[in-house]
Amino acid sequence: MDPSLREIIAQAVTDARKGGLDAVAQRGAAVTLLTAMIPSLDADTIRLIVDQLYPFIAELGAAA
């Protein structure tokens, strides 16, 4: 089963946090990973998806 968009972004953010990256770099990591995993999406769509989901994922990570 393929991972959901939320799972892909959450994994990228988690890995970036473990590496000590800030919020901007975490978003960049999410964009990069999503681009690699779903190359059929254009860059603007990927950024929109990450921009919409990142706040929820960041909030969950802060609560963990």
Side-chain angles (χ1 to χ4, degrees):
M1 178 183 249
D2 291 332
S4 69
L5 291 172
R6 187 197 60 78
E7 291 169 330
I8 294 168
I9 295 169
Q11 185 61 52
V13 169
T14 299
D15 291 347
R17 280 188 182 147
K18 287 178 183 176
L21 300 178
D22 65 6
V24 173
Q26 291 171 24
R27 283 181 184 224
V31 167
T32 300
L33 184 59
L34 200 55
T35 300
M37 293 190 75
I38 310 174
S40 61
L41 291 177
D42 64 85
D44 290 333
T45 302
I46 289 173
R47 278 192 294 278
L48 178 65
I49 291 167
V50 171
D51 286 347
Q52 293 297 310
L53 292 177
Y54 179 81
F56 301 107
I57 292 167
E59 185 175 308
L60 290 174

